[in-house]
Amino acid sequence: MNTEHVKLREALQLAAIFDQAQVGLSELSPSGGFLRVNNELCRMLGRSRETLLTMGVPDVTHVDDIRESLQAVGRLIDDGEPISIDKRYMRPDGSIVWANSSISRLDPVRPGLPYSLLVVTVDLTERTLARQALADSEGRFRALAEAAPVLIWQLDSHGVIAYQNPKCKELFGADGSTNCVEWKARLHLHGFQDYVQTFEAAFDERQAFQGRARFQALDGSMRWLESHMAPWFKGNGEYAGHVGISIDITENVATQEQLMVVNERLTLALDGSGDGVWDWNIASNAITYSRRMEEIFGSTDNVKVENHEQFCRRIHPDDLPQTQAALQECVDGVTPAFSAEYRMRGKGSIWKWILSRAIVVAHDEDGRALRMIGTVTDISDERHSQEVIWLHANFDALTRLPNRRLFRDRLAQEVMQARRTGSLLSLLFIDLDHFKEANDQLGHDAGDQLLVEAARRIRSCARQTDTVARLGGDEFTAILAQLTDVLDAEKIAREINLELVKPFFLSQEVIYLSASIGITVFPSDGVEPETLIRNADQAMYVAKNSGRNRFNYFTQTMQNEAQNRLHLIADLRNALAENQLEVYYQPVVELRTKCVVKAEALLRWKHPRLGFLMPVDFIPV
C-alpha cells in the first residue's frame, strides 16, 4: 500500500471516528471560534455544521455562563492544563442544553502554526432535569397521598407505622405512632392465618407482599382490603422499612369471580369482532367452531364440530409441539390463559397464521378443567408484513444478498460455532476492480445491472451453506464455514476471479471487470469477527495494489507493518519537541575545480529505541 493511500485512509478513518462519536466533539480556535464540529454536537445544539462553523462558543452559550466559560478557557490558554466545566448551551428555539465540556489544548502539527482547543461535550440535560423532577415528584407524591382514595402507609424498620394518609385514619382512626400490631388486632383472623404468617415473613425477610383480607373498620364494619407491600431501601442501600398501599374492595369482592367468568364468556363469545370462536368440551373432547372461524379458513359452512385430534391435524407440523404444550399448561392450571401464534391449514391447503387465545371457564369439584373457550384472529397479513420488514432490514434491496447488518450477525454466529467445534472458518473480502469507471461511463442503471450480475456470479461460486453478502457499493464478502482445508477457501476465491473476468453483456455494451480478494482464516488470523474483517480488508488492499484480479492471504507481516506505521507516527509527533531530529550536511564538489561549491542538508532521526533512521524510513508517514 503506497504512502498516499495510507495517509488518505488514516485521514478518512480519523474523520469518521470524529464525526460518528456519541459525544459532542469540536475543535476551537484560541479565540473560541468553531473550526470543526461532529454530528452529535450539531444534534445537541440544534444547528447545522455550516452554521456552527460561522459562530463562536459565546454565541451558543447561555448568557449567564459566558463569563465563567471564557475565564476557564483563559486559564487553559495560560497554563495548558485541561479543564472541565458544567454549563448551559442554547438552541435556536430557546431551549437549554445542560452539558459538561472537557477542554484541552492541541499543540500545532508544525512549528509556527497556532494551537487549537479540543472540546468534548456530554449532554447532561436528562440527568439535570431528572434531578429537578425528583424534587418536584416528592412534593407531588405527598399531595397525591393526602388526597388519594386508597390507603397509603409506611412501616419503619421496626414495624412501627411511620406514615398513614388521611384515608387510613378515616377507616381505622389510628395515629402515626401506632404499631402494626394494632392493625393485626383489627384483622378478621378466621380463615386468614396464612395471610398473617405470610405478611410477617415478608416483613422479616424484607420481601414484597400482596394479599386480600378482611379488617374491622372504626365503625365496626368488616372491610375487604387488597394490600401490596414492598421493602424500601435508602440510596445507600440501607433498609428503611416497607411501604404499602391498600385498596378497599369490599363492594367488588363478593361478585368478582362470578363477573370474571361471565365477562370472559361474553367477550369471547362475541363473534361480531371479526375473530373466530371455538368451544372445547374437554370431557367429551368435542370442539365447536363459530361460523366466522370457518370463514377464516376459507369455508362458508355452518357451525362445525370436530374432536381435538382433528383440530391438531389442522396445525402446521412445525408449530404443533409448542402449541400443544402451551394448551396443556393452561388446561393443567400452570398458566391462567392460553395464547399462541401458529399456522393452521385452510381451504386448498393454504397455511394461515393465526393468533389464538383461550381460558378455562369451568372446573369440576376437584379443580380439573371441563371447558375451554378461545378465539382465533387471522394475522397472516401482519406476519407477511413483518417478514417483508425483516427482509428489508437484513437483505440488500438490489442484489437480494444479505446486507452488512445480517453479515455481521452471521459472522458472529459462525465464529462462535467454529470456536465451539474447532473447525476452520474463512472470510473473503471482495472488491470489484474498475467498477467505478464502468459506473461513471454507463450510468447508475447499468451499474446496478453490473452489481446484480456480479453478485450472482459470486454466489454461484460459493457453497449453499456459505453466506455471500454485499456490504455496500462494489464490496462483497463471503463467509466460508466448516472448512476441511484452507485450500478450499483458495479454490472458491480462484473461481470467483475466473467468473468475474468473463465479459458482462449489458444491452449494446460489453464490460470487463475483475476482483481483488483478501482472505483471512479463523483462528490463525484472528479469533474475533472485527479482527477477521479488518485483516481481510488489509489483504484485499494488498491484492489490489499488487495488480488486481488476484487474491491475497492475510499475513502477520501486513499486521506488523500496520502496527509499525502506527507506532512510528506516534513517535514522530514527539520527535521535534524532544530534539530527536538532526541535520547533516553533505558537501557537493565541482569535479573540475575540486572545490566544495555547496552542501545538501539531510535530515536524520535519532530514535531513542531504533537508533538513526534514514528519511526513507519516516518521511513517507
Side-chain angles (χ1 to χ4, degrees), residues 131-191:
R131 190 182 300 117
Q132 294 175 348
L134 179 60
D136 295 340
S137 67
E138 290 177 351
R140 286 196 299 270
F141 170 77
R142 180 165 293 275
L144 179 63
E146 295 294 320
V150 298
L151 292 73
I152 300 175
W153 42 273
Q154 175 192 347
L155 305 178
D156 66 15
S157 58
H158 302 292
V160 174
I161 298 177
Y163 172 78
Q164 297 179 83
N165 73 338
K167 187 64 177 179
C168 290
K169 299 175 183 179
E170 174 189 331
L171 199 59
F172 296 109
D175 59 38
S177 63
T178 303
N179 191 282
C180 63
V181 173
E182 174 67 21
W183 272 30
K184 190 190 301 183
R186 296 182 179 275
L187 178 64
H188 184 68
L189 291 177
H190 182 67

Side-chain angles (χ1 to χ4, degrees), residues 445-459:
D445 290 341
D448 288 346
Q449 296 178 43
L450 268 178
L451 289 172
V452 171
E453 176 60 18
R456 187 195 65 77
R457 296 186 187 185
I458 295 171
R459 176 66 264 184

Side-chain angles (χ1 to χ4, degrees), residues 46-246:
R47 291 177 169 88
S48 67
R49 189 188 306 271
E50 292 75 17
T51 302
L52 283 177
L53 293 179
T54 65
M55 306 175 74
V57 173
D59 300 324
V60 296
T61 300
H62 191 282
V63 63
D64 294 338
D65 295 344
I66 293 178
R67 180 178 180 183
E68 180 182 354
S69 297
L70 294 178
Q71 290 175 345
V73 172
R75 292 194 300 271
L76 168 62
I77 293 175
D78 291 339
D79 57 28
E81 292 295 325
I83 61 171
S84 175
I85 58 173
D86 290 332
K87 57 182 295 185
R88 290 167 291 179
Y89 291 96
M90 297 297 298
R91 290 195 179 105
D93 61 4
S95 60
I96 296 175
V97 178
W98 294 84
N100 173 266
S101 291
S102 300
I103 312 173
S104 55
R105 194 170 69 185
L106 297 177
D107 293 330
V109 295
R110 291 194 303 272
L113 294 177
Y115 57 80
S116 59
L117 305 178
L118 176 65
V119 183
V120 180
T121 303
V122 179
D123 192 342
L124 302 179
T125 303
E126 292 185 1
R127 187 188 308 171
T128 303
L129 295 179
R131 190 182 300 117
Q132 294 175 348
L134 179 60
D136 295 340
S137 67
E138 290 177 351
R140 286 196 299 270
F141 170 77
R142 180 165 293 275
L144 179 63
E146 295 294 320
V150 298
L151 292 73
I152 300 175
W153 42 273
Q154 175 192 347
L155 305 178
D156 66 15
S157 58
H158 302 292
V160 174
I161 298 177
Y163 172 78
Q164 297 179 83
N165 73 338
K167 187 64 177 179
C168 290
K169 299 175 183 179
E170 174 189 331
L171 199 59
F172 296 109
D175 59 38
S177 63
T178 303
N179 191 282
C180 63
V181 173
E182 174 67 21
W183 272 30
K184 190 190 301 183
R186 296 182 179 275
L187 178 64
H188 184 68
L189 291 177
H190 182 67
F192 295 106
Q193 288 82 357
D194 290 343
Y195 178 96
V196 175
Q197 294 173 1
T198 305
F199 179 92
E200 293 178 339
F203 184 86
D204 294 338
E205 297 172 10
R206 301 179 183 178
Q207 300 292 324
F209 166 84
Q210 66 178 43
R212 292 181 176 185
R214 284 195 295 171
F215 291 81
Q216 184 178 19
L218 186 64
D219 61 3
S221 63
M222 303 303 299
R223 312 297 295 179
W224 275 95
L225 295 182
E226 179 176 335
S227 298
H228 300 261
M229 179 180 74
W232 172 43
F233 298 89
K234 296 181 179 178
N236 59 6
E238 179 185 353
Y239 171 65
H242 275 67
V243 291
I245 181 172
S246 298

Side-chain angles (χ1 to χ4, degrees), residues 274-276 296 353-357 375-380 382:
D275 291 347
I296 290 175
W353 276 101
I354 66 166
L355 168 62
S356 184
R357 302 184 183 93
T375 62
V376 166
T377 306
D378 186 352
I379 59 170
S380 300
E382 179 182 342

Side-chain angles (χ1 to χ4, degrees), residues 38 83 93 113 157 193 202 268 332 413 433 446 493 522 588 616:
N38 73 342
I83 61 171
D93 61 4
L113 294 177
S157 58
Q193 288 82 357
L268 295 173
D332 294 339
Q413 293 181 24
D433 301 326
F522 172 94
V588 177
V616 70

